[in-house]
Amino acid sequence: MTDIDALIQRAANHLAGEPVIIRWRDPAAEGALGQAHKTATGAAVVDIANLTSVETTFRVLLHELAHIRLGHAVYTGAVTKPPSSIPRNEPRRAAWRVDTRETAANELAARWLAYAEKQGGQILNNHLEASPLECYLRALLTWRE
């Protein structure tokens, strides 16, 4: 595990409020960028698709962690399914877009992102050798609600 992987894991556990298993793979839901689950034993799992943008990956991760923090992640069996194996037709996609849990996760993730950008920017100014992602993750380790 690299230093940045360890930092991602620490920040994920902190933001979610519990240990999180991060799987860097396409989620079970077809076309999803990320998905938060619980295992049958209650462990939190986040699947994140292989995205080309670090910024998008970071935003998706924050959104999925918000689902866990807010108690939206439950065991449905999807955590055991192969990537992209659960079809999402247009009625399912439409329902997902108006789900209040999505709005709540978006709002919390946006607060975390704003905090990371503000506090992480200050860290970056003092540690020019660090990457913005590293500084954002370090800042998020200080997040308190």
Side-chain angles (χ1 to χ4, degrees), residues 94-145:
W96 167 78
R97 283 191 281 276
V98 297
D99 189 325
T100 58
R101 294 172 298 179
E102 291 303 317
T103 304
N106 284 338
E107 289 171 356
L108 180 53
R111 288 200 319 267
W112 285 341
L113 180 60
Y115 183 86
E117 288 173 341
K118 181 179 179 186
Q119 301 302 319
Q122 293 174 0
I123 295 170
L124 187 58
N125 288 337
N126 295 324
H127 298 85
L128 297 177
E129 72 283 355
S131 72
L133 177 61
E134 179 183 349
C135 294
Y136 292 173
L137 292 166
R138 289 191 185 287
L140 288 169
L141 290 172
T142 67
W143 169 266
R144 300 284 181 255
E145 287 190 84

Side-chain angles (χ1 to χ4, degrees), residues 32-116:
L33 300 180
Q35 195 168 6
H37 316 272
K38 289 284 186 155
T39 65
T41 60
V45 177
V46 170
D47 291 335
I48 302 291
N50 184 17
L51 305 170
T52 56
S53 163
V54 171
E55 180 181 335
T56 301
T57 301
F58 183 61
R59 288 174 184 264
V60 170
L61 178 61
L62 291 179
H63 175 86
E64 298 308 328
L65 293 171
H67 277 303
I68 293 170
R69 180 61 162 222
L70 295 169
H72 301 161
V74 297
Y75 177 72
T76 63
V79 71
T80 64
K81 305 284 186 200
S84 302
S85 64
I86 300 173
R88 289 197 310 168
N89 57 23
E90 192 46 45
R92 280 188 178 173
R93 289 177 194 271
W96 167 78
R97 283 191 281 276
V98 297
D99 189 325
T100 58
R101 294 172 298 179
E102 291 303 317
T103 304
N106 284 338
E107 289 171 356
L108 180 53
R111 288 200 319 267
W112 285 341
L113 180 60
Y115 183 86

